[in-house]
């Protein structure tokens, strides 16, 4: 007896447990559920018994791994296998398309100079892991029509786990005599702790191939050719990604890769624009005048805040004026127009790439309406009312209109409240800017301390205020994002969307609207509000009216563009850094122990289901957050790109890393996600179109009202006093004069605040940024005619730029068809061939049925005595 037990133990540890098959080595594991024993063991055990019994009634086969066989001696594992009969039944229900003939349509011809792309290509067996087939929706009654060589491998693992998950989400766990609608589905059992996890298996370890030849080792190939950072210059194996993870994840990586490719062209143009600013550095007459001690050093500027701010000299902004020229130059106008056209090319060429993928991945006839058949289990549970579907003529659950309206109103009110909360936070940051500016101005004025002098010469009060306010704003953005994510999911669940597609679209719109306001509101303030409602000495505008001491901010003499650049750089770069830390470093630290454990354990003891159990769960919102991150980045590089031409370059570097980090996470850190179909990127495509249209308007307004380009051009061509047009004298022309004796007491600096060089007896006027008549003029302190000329030029520039870019956009969109003509022809050809093959199959099947029935009737007739042509009929049947 002891010898038998010892032999059993030896067999147990000699067996390779790093397998995706049952103990018999034949039946494939399509899904795994895990659970642990706890205090509520009896209640949960009862649920598990009912659930597993119902799974077996549905036709699934189960095999349990006791906790004594697990590595932690705590976790039980339930392995699930779907036999052919179940797979065929649900493939018919879900209308899954399967191959029936190898495609005989010739492949596209090779492109000239294709050899240049060879260093970036992957092996053919990785790029095309399976041949092209003609496919048709599976029909259980026509099994012999399809290419079924082996029933065990006919449905790929991604399709098998999709079918099993469909069953798991709809399987009840109540007894037959008590029908409780809410006791349905694996998701509810996971929420109440009956099971701790549910996941399909990876096919092997990612760092080496599976020993079992029946395993495809696709995970290993994905890691070797895709997930390693050293492959950053290689193309992505999209067909293998689609085959292993499903079309929905495949489409995401196809879009991300294409977006990164297109960013290269935008980044090149942005670098050229920046280099132009650097090379034209010495030709910047405006900055030279500001820095010249005889010009900028002699111009006394009016105080920028009440009481605490003193008079200052224009040449103190010398450094910021040079910095502003790097981004605010003639090349910026060209780059803004280029980006308006680039975004159109990006969206149009993506539609073509997407159409090609739809054809190659057999998604042409896949309509989103098919998902309407897949009602969310939560909808079925919570909607107790039933009504007749006019299309299917079947009873289906529905949500009453009053309840739907109430839920929609509550949802809208919640979103509005959080949007107002963001606006309130932005107002708080603006108040901070106004309040702290005086403190920075007081600290950075002339002092005997050498450190203060050094800092004051490098950082102006405007720059110090802008940087600190941007950092505070970024922290607020992160906090609000963290809180709102949970709120958005809660209110979307509360609305009870009917289908998964509707759920995703609702959540997408809520999250993007919030993120749009959260991330971009501070940039909109700097671009379109700061410095626009300041007033002038003696009649300043205040944030909360005259009774408050928070005077509205002014722009530097070089304009607010450099502050917008600072704001954009801090928020965009900060978001990318935080995102990369969350996506790469934290998972790496968290899973270091499990990876070490996986490599150190022998395959005979560390089972495949335990290895995957130790990985992170890929949530239903995982792909949603990846899209959201990229679309927010897309907004940064389009809406405000005129202020920072290097933004596409930063985005390009980030996305090269993003592709490989996401690939690494999917391949090594996450459990295998449930495969899902999708023919496009969904609601994100419409969001991208809206952002693209908005970007033309925002960049036109930035160039007109935030940049100093239009006032300089008006001066150059209309107001320059000399014969030769140049920018000499522009600074003096752009600053108005105010009599210091007319400044109200409340606006004057306090005693001791003025610098040592200021002498009130010799300095009687100060300058401020505006176009107003000087003191003593008949219309003193009112706007000059030059102001109205500049305003007219700004409005004319906006109209011209918008119309030029929109005309080019719509012309390009009309010129480039959404679906390539070659793909259209192939689709038509394939549809024709599929119909022909189906027709021939039905005809042959009908002939056989008629032949069999005729033979049967003749056999019956042969038994009768009056059958003169018996031998002739039998010979004809044979």
């Amino acid at each position: 007896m002891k010898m038998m037990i010892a032999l059993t133990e030896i067999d147990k540890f000699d067996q390779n447990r790093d397998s995706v098959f049952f103990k018999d080595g034949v039946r494939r594991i399509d899904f795994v559920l895990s659970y642990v024993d706890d205090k509520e063991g009896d209640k949960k055990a009862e649920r598990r018994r009912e659930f597993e019994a119902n799974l077996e009634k549905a036709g699934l086969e189960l095999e349990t791994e006791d906790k004594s066989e697990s590595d932690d001696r705590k976790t039980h594992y339930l392995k699930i296998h779907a036999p052919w009969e179940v797979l065929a039944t649900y493939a018919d229900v879900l209308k899954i398309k399967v191959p029936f003939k190898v495609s005989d349509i010739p492949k596209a011809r090779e492109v000239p100079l294709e050899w240049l792309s060879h260093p970036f290509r992957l092996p053919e067996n990785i790029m095309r892991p399976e041949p092209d087939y003609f496919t048709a929706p599976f029909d259980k009654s026509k099994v012999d029509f399809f290419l079924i060589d082996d029933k065990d491998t006919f449905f790929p693992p991604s399709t098998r786990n999709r079918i099993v998950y469909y069953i798991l989400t709809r399987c009840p766990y109540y007894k037959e005599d008590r029908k409780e609608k809410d006791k349905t589905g694996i998701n509810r059992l996971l929420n109440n702790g009956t099971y701790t996890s549910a996941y399909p298996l990876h096919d092997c370890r990612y760092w080496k191939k599976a020993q079992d030849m029946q395993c495809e080792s696709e995970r290993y190939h994905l890691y070797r050719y895709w997930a390693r950072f050293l492959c950053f210059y290689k193309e992505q194996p999209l067909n293998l990604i689609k085959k292993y993870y499903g079309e929905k994840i495949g489409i995401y990586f196809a879009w991300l890769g294409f977006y990164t490719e297109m960013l290269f062209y935008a980044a090149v143009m942005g670098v050229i624009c920046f280099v132009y600013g650097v090379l034209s550095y010495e030709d910047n007459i405006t900055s030279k005048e500001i820095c010249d001690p005889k010009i900028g050093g002699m111009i006394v500027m009016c105080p920028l805040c009440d009481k605490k701010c003193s008079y200052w000299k224009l040449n103190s902004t010398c450094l910021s004026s040079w910095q502003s020229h790097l981004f605010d130059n003639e090349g910026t106008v060209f780059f803004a127009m280029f980006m308006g056209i680039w975004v159109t090319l990006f969206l149009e060429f993506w539609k073509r790439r997407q159409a090609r993928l739809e054809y190659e991945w057999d998604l042409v006839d896949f309509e989103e309406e098919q998902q309407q058949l897949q009602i969310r289990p939560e909808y079925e549970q919570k909607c107790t009312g039933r009504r007749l579907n006019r299309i299917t003529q079947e009873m289906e659950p529905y949500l009453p209109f009053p309840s739907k309206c109430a839920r929609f109103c509550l949802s809208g009110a919640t979103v509005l409240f959080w949007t107002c909360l963001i606006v309130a936070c932005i107002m708080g940051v603006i108040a901070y800017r106004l309040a702290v500016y005086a403190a920075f101005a007081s600290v950075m004025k002339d002092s005997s301390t050498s450190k203060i002098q050094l800092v004051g010469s490098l950082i102006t009060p405007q720059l110090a205020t802008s940087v600190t306010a941007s950092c505070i704003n970024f922290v607020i953005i992160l906090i609000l994002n963290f809180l709102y994510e949970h709120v958005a999911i809660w209110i979307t669940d509360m609305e009870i969307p009917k289908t998964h597609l509707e759920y995703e679209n609702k959540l997408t719109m809520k999250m993007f609207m919030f993120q749009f306001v959260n991330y971009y509101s501070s940039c909109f303030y700097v671009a379109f509000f700061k410095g626009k409602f300041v007033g002038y000495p003696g009649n300043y505008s205040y944030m909360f009216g005259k009774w408050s001491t928070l005077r509205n901010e002014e722009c530097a003499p070089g304009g607010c563009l450099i502050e917008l650049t600072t704001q954009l750089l801090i928020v965009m770069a900060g978001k990318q850094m935080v995102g990369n830390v969350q996506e790469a470093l934290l998972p790496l630290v968290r899973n270091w122990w499990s990876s070490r454990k996986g490599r150190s354990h022998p395959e005979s003891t560390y089972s495949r289901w335990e290895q995957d159990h130790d990985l992170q769960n890929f949530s239903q919102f995982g792909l949603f957050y990846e899209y959201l991150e990229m679309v927010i980045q897309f907004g940064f590089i389009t809406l405000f790109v005129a202020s920072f031409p290097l933004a596409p370059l930063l985005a390009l570097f980030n996305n090269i890393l993003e592709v490989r980090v996401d690939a690494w996470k999917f391949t090594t850190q996450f459990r295998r996600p449930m495969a899902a179909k999708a023919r496009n990127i969904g609601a994100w495509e419409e969001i991208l179109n809206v952002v693209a249209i908005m970007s033309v308007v925002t960049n036109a307004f930035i160039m007109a009202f935030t940049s100093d380009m239009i006032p300089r051009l008006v001066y150059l061509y209309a107001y320059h006093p000399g014969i030769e047009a140049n920018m000499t004298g522009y600074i003096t022309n752009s600053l108005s004069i105010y009599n210091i004796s007319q400044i109200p007491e409340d606006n004057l600096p306090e005693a001791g605040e003025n610098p040592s060089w200021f002498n009130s007896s010799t300095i009687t006027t100060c300058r401020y940024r505006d176009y107003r008549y000087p003191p003593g003029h008949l219309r003193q302190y009112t706007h000059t005619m030059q102001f109205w000329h500049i305003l007219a030029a700004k409005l004319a520039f906006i109209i011209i730029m918008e119309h030029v870019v929109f005309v080019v956009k719509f012309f390009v969109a009309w010129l480039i068809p959404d679906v390539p003509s070659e793909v259209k022809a192939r689709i038509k050809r394939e549809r024709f061939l599929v119909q022909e093959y189906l027709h021939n199959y039905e005809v042959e099947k009908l002939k056989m049925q008629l032949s069999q029935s005729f033979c049967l009737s003749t056999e019956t007739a042969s038994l009768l005595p009056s059958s003169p042509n018996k031998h002739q009929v039998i010979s004809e049947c044979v």
Side-chain angles (χ1 to χ4, degrees):
M1 186 68 180
K2 289 181 180 179
M3 186 176 292
M4 289 179 64
I5 294 172
L7 286 172
T8 304
E9 290 293 322
I10 292 171
D11 290 341
K12 172 184 170 182
F13 287 102
D14 283 346
Q15 182 186 3
N16 185 355
R17 289 162 57 82
D18 187 19
S19 170
V20 294
F21 293 94
F22 276 14
K23 291 179 180 177
D24 57 16
V26 176
R27 291 174 293 172
R28 189 182 187 103
I29 302 171
D30 297 313
F31 229 86
V32 174
L33 307 181
S34 67
Y35 60 92
V36 294
D37 297 327
D38 56 16
K39 296 178 181 178
E40 298 181 17
D42 294 341
K43 193 174 182 180
K44 292 179 179 178
E46 179 65 24
R47 293 181 195 144
R48 285 193 291 268
R49 276 194 297 270
E50 295 297 332
F51 186 67
E52 291 165 18
N54 289 328
L55 289 178
E56 289 179 329
K57 288 178 183 177
L60 298 178
E61 297 176 3
L62 313 179
E63 185 177 86
T64 304
E65 290 282 335
D66 191 70
K67 65 180 181 181
S68 60
E69 298 178 344
S70 65
D71 187 64
D72 61 2
R73 298 293 189 269
K74 296 178 182 178
T75 309
H76 302 263
Y77 295 95
L78 177 69
K79 297 175 287 186
I80 302 174
H81 168 76
W84 167 257
E85 191 64 27
V86 174
L87 293 173
T89 301
Y90 283 92
D92 194 348
V93 170
L94 298 175
K95 303 299 179 187
I96 293 174
K97 299 182 82 172
V98 294
F100 67 88
K101 188 182 186 301
V102 177
S103 174
D104 56 6
I105 297 178
K107 295 182 180 178
R109 296 177 181 177
E110 291 189 359
V111 180
L113 301 177
E114 190 179 10
W115 57 272
L116 292 174
S117 63
H118 285 174
F120 309 103
R121 293 197 171 277
L122 295 174
E124 187 65 20
N125 67 310
I126 302 299
M127 291 303 298
R128 297 186 177 276
E130 54 187 357
D132 292 333
Y133 292 105
F134 291 138
T135 60
F138 186 79
D139 190 337
K140 195 176 177 182
S141 63
K142 302 176 182 177
V143 173
D144 54 335
F145 173 69
F146 302 101
L147 287 178
I148 305 177
D149 296 328
D150 184 353
K151 290 184 177 180
D152 293 332
T153 59
F154 178 66
F155 292 106
S158 58
T159 302
R160 297 175 68 101
N161 71 55
R162 178 184 164 204
I163 291 173
V164 173
Y165 183 69
Y166 181 86
I167 298 172
L168 289 174
T169 54
R170 285 157 177 79
C171 183
Y173 57 91
Y174 50 75
K175 294 182 179 180
E176 290 184 359
D177 55 339
R178 293 187 307 169
K179 290 198 173 184
E180 302 167 78
K181 289 294 295 179
D182 60 332
K183 292 188 175 182
T184 302
I186 185 62
N187 292 330
R188 192 171 179 85
L189 290 171
L190 290 171
N191 291 336
N192 61 31
T194 303
Y195 291 101
T196 55
S197 60
Y199 52 94
L201 292 180
H202 284 294
D203 60 1
C204 66
R205 301 187 179 198
Y206 67 84
W207 63 86
K208 68 176 182 178
K209 290 184 178 181
Q211 294 182 358
D212 193 336
M213 297 304 295
Q214 297 182 69
C215 286
E216 301 84 357
S217 297
E218 290 173 348
R219 184 189 188 194
Y220 165 77
H221 292 306
L222 286 170
Y223 175 72
R224 180 181 176 186
Y225 294 104
W226 179 50
R228 296 188 302 169
F229 183 74
L230 293 178
C231 301
F232 73 92
Y233 63 96
K234 296 280 190 180
E235 61 184 336
Q236 296 187 86
L238 295 176
N239 289 316
L240 186 58
I241 297 169
K242 181 268 297 184
K243 184 172 182 281
Y244 192 74
Y245 291 114
E247 290 81 357
K248 192 171 186 178
I249 292 176
I251 282 285
Y252 164 72
F253 280 103
W255 177 82
L256 179 59
F258 181 76
Y259 172 45
T260 305
E261 291 173 18
M262 291 295 291
L263 273 177
F264 173 77
Y265 305 103
V268 169
M269 292 306 300
V271 171
I272 292 173
C273 179
F274 179 75
V275 170
Y276 172 79
V278 174
L279 295 179
S280 60
Y281 207 63
E282 294 299 326
D283 300 328
N284 183 15
I285 297 176
T286 303
S287 294
K288 286 182 178 180
E289 288 188 347
I290 292 175
C291 298
D292 191 345
K294 295 181 180 179
I295 301 176
M298 301 300 293
I299 297 177
V300 178
M301 303 295 293
C302 298
L304 293 173
C305 64
D306 297 339
K307 302 293 185 182
K308 295 295 182 182
C309 295
S310 63
Y311 299 97
W312 53 285
K313 290 185 177 180
L314 183 61
N315 64 352
S316 64
T317 61
C318 176
L319 182 61
S320 65
S321 69
W322 284 110
Q323 294 169 345
S324 180
H325 174 73
L326 294 175
F327 305 106
D328 191 4
N329 52 65
E330 294 80 4
T332 309
V333 180
F334 166 77
F335 184 67
M337 299 183 73
F338 168 80
M339 287 301 294
I341 299 170
W342 173 88
V343 74
T344 303
L345 292 173
F346 164 64
L347 294 173
E348 292 302 318
F349 281 126
W350 165 246
K351 290 176 185 176
R352 290 171 64 86
R353 177 72 65 90
Q354 189 171 253
R356 194 176 294 277
L357 286 175
E358 285 178 17
Y359 168 73
E360 292 176 356
W361 291 357
D362 206 15
L363 297 169
V364 174
D365 296 323
F366 174 76
E367 297 295 338
E368 308 298 346
E369 284 76 13
Q370 291 184 14
Q371 296 191 16
Q372 302 300 324
L373 300 173
Q374 301 178 23
I375 297 175
R376 294 175 65 238
E378 295 83 356
Y379 185 85
E380 295 177 334
Q381 295 164 13
K382 294 179 181 178
C383 299
T384 55
R386 298 274 164 175
R387 68 179 177 186
L388 185 68
N389 187 311
R390 296 180 182 178
I391 300 172
T392 62
Q393 293 298 307
E394 295 178 358
M395 298 299 291
E396 65 175 12
Y398 81 102
L399 190 64
F401 183 75
S403 176
K404 186 181 292 186
C405 285
R407 293 171 187 273
F408 178 79
C409 292
L410 179 59
S411 173
T414 306
V415 174
L416 182 62
F417 167 77
W418 279 86
T419 305
C420 293
L421 183 62
I422 297 173
V423 174
C425 291
I426 295 300
M427 296 291 288
V429 172
I430 295 172
Y432 163 83
R433 297 172 71 109
L434 301 179
V436 85
Y437 178 83
F440 279 121
S442 179
V443 170
M444 293 182 183
K445 68 181 180 178
D446 289 350
S447 174
S448 59
T449 307
S450 60
K451 288 185 179 179
I452 297 296
Q453 287 179 348
L454 177 63
V455 172
S457 64
L458 297 177
I459 303 176
T460 63
Q462 291 98 328
L463 182 60
T465 303
S466 179
V467 170
T468 56
S470 299
C471 294
I472 292 172
N473 182 63
F474 179 66
V475 173
I476 293 173
I477 286 172
L478 295 180
I479 294 172
L480 290 177
N481 273 350
F482 175 77
L483 297 174
Y484 184 75
E485 283 177 6
H486 302 283
V487 175
I489 294 171
W490 174 74
I491 58 179
T492 307
D493 289 337
M494 184 263 302
E495 289 181 17
I496 318 179
K498 185 176 182 180
T499 65
H500 294 286
L501 181 65
E502 185 181 348
Y503 184 93
E504 287 184 7
N505 290 342
K506 284 177 178 288
L507 182 62
T508 297
M509 295 309 298
K510 289 183 182 67
M511 283 297 293
F512 179 75
M513 285 172 58
F514 177 84
Q515 298 270 22
F516 185 91
V517 178
N518 199 17
Y519 276 107
Y520 303 145
S521 54
S522 57
C523 293
F524 271 102
Y525 163 73
V526 175
F528 306 124
F529 294 97
K530 183 181 177 181
K532 308 299 184 294
F533 311 100
V534 177
Y536 59 93
N539 189 27
Y540 284 118
S541 300
Y542 291 80
M543 183 177 180
F544 299 110
K546 292 286 185 181
W547 57 270
S548 72
T549 59
L550 299 177
R551 201 171 94 190
N552 288 348
E553 285 185 283
E554 296 184 37
C555 290
C560 276
L561 194 73
I562 189 64
E563 291 195 42
L564 179 59
T565 304
T566 304
Q567 180 75 27
L568 181 63
L569 178 62
I570 289 176
V571 176
M572 179 182 172
K575 182 183 185 304
Q576 291 183 170
M577 289 176 61
V578 170
N580 289 331
V581 168
Q582 289 178 336
E583 291 188 12
L585 295 182
L586 294 181
L588 192 63
V589 172
R590 187 165 51 245
N591 288 281
W592 173 79
W593 171 251
S594 62
S595 298
R596 182 182 175 187
K597 178 176 161 184
R599 289 178 182 268
S600 61
H601 274 54
E603 295 178 359
S604 58
T605 59
Y606 197 34
S607 65
R608 162 73 12 229
W609 45 91
E610 287 179 285
Q611 293 175 44
D612 286 8
H613 180 266
D614 292 338
L615 298 176
Q616 297 178 63
N617 180 44
F618 184 75
S619 71
Q620 60 173 323
F621 305 114
L623 211 57
F624 168 81
Y625 289 123
E626 300 294 344
Y627 272 119
L628 182 62
E629 179 185 2
M630 288 296 102
V631 171
I632 293 296
Q633 182 203 83
F634 180 80
F636 279 125
I637 68 161
T638 53
L639 293 172
F640 309 102
V641 74
S643 67
F644 189 41
L646 294 180
L649 183 65
L650 293 181
L652 176 64
F653 288 149
N654 177 79
N655 287 11
I656 290 173
L657 180 64
E658 181 76 21
V659 171
R660 304 303 160 179
V661 167
D662 285 350
W664 173 77
K665 287 192 307 181
F666 273 92
T667 310
T668 68
Q669 304 302 304
F670 284 140
R671 296 171 186 161
R672 187 172 183 172
M674 265 68 75
K677 278 186 174 289
R679 64 178 299 182
N680 51 44
I681 61 176
W684 298 111
E685 191 167 341
E686 292 303 318
I687 290 174
L688 291 174
N689 283 318
V690 172
V691 172
I693 294 172
M694 287 184 62
S695 67
V696 178
V697 180
T698 55
N699 283 304
F701 271 85
I702 286 172
M703 294 310 303
F705 288 98
T706 310
S707 167
D708 206 35
M709 183 59 61
I710 303 300
R712 290 203 295 261
L713 292 175
V714 170
Y715 174 80
L716 182 64
Y717 294 110
Y719 285 89
H720 184 264
I723 299 174
E724 183 183 352
N726 58 53
M727 294 302 296
T728 304
Y730 168 72
I731 284 297
T732 305
N733 174 266
S734 64
L735 298 175
S736 297
I737 303 173
Y738 198 85
N739 194 331
I740 292 177
S741 62
Q742 295 177 338
I743 297 178
E745 187 69 27
D746 292 338
N747 301 138
L748 287 172
E750 292 179 344
E753 291 294 336
N754 285 328
S756 57
W757 52 262
F758 182 80
N759 188 342
S760 58
S761 61
T762 57
I763 301 174
T764 58
T765 60
C766 63
R767 298 293 192 100
Y768 59 99
R769 182 180 169 83
D770 207 342
Y771 293 91
R772 294 179 184 272
Y773 289 108
H777 192 277
L778 187 63
R779 301 175 61 190
Q780 68 174 7
Y781 306 139
T782 60
H783 284 125
T784 64
M785 188 57 65
Q786 187 175 353
F787 170 84
W788 300 109
H789 288 167
I790 291 173
L791 181 61
K794 289 179 176 180
L795 296 176
F797 173 82
I798 291 172
I799 294 171
I800 293 171
M801 179 178 171
E802 286 183 357
H803 280 70
V804 168
V805 175
F806 278 131
V807 166
V808 174
K809 278 170 65 72
F810 291 128
F811 176 73
V812 169
W814 170 80
L815 190 65
I816 302 174
D818 292 348
V819 182
S821 56
E822 174 204 351
V823 173
K824 284 182 180 178
R826 286 171 172 266
I827 291 171
K828 290 178 181 178
R829 170 68 176 161
E830 184 167 331
R831 283 176 175 168
F832 168 75
L833 292 175
V834 168
Q835 289 176 354
E836 186 179 24
Y837 285 126
L838 279 169
H839 175 264
N840 292 339
Y841 169 80
E842 293 291 348
V843 169
E844 290 298 323
K845 189 175 181 181
L846 184 60
K847 283 182 180 179
M848 290 184 65
Q849 289 175 349
L850 289 173
S851 176
Q852 289 174 0
S853 62
F854 185 65
C855 287
L856 257 163
S857 63
T858 52
E859 285 177 8
T860 306
S862 67
L863 299 175
L864 300 173
S866 58
S867 179
N869 301 322
K870 173 184 174 184
H871 296 288
Q872 182 182 354
V873 171
I874 292 175
S875 64
E876 287 178 358
C877 288
V878 172

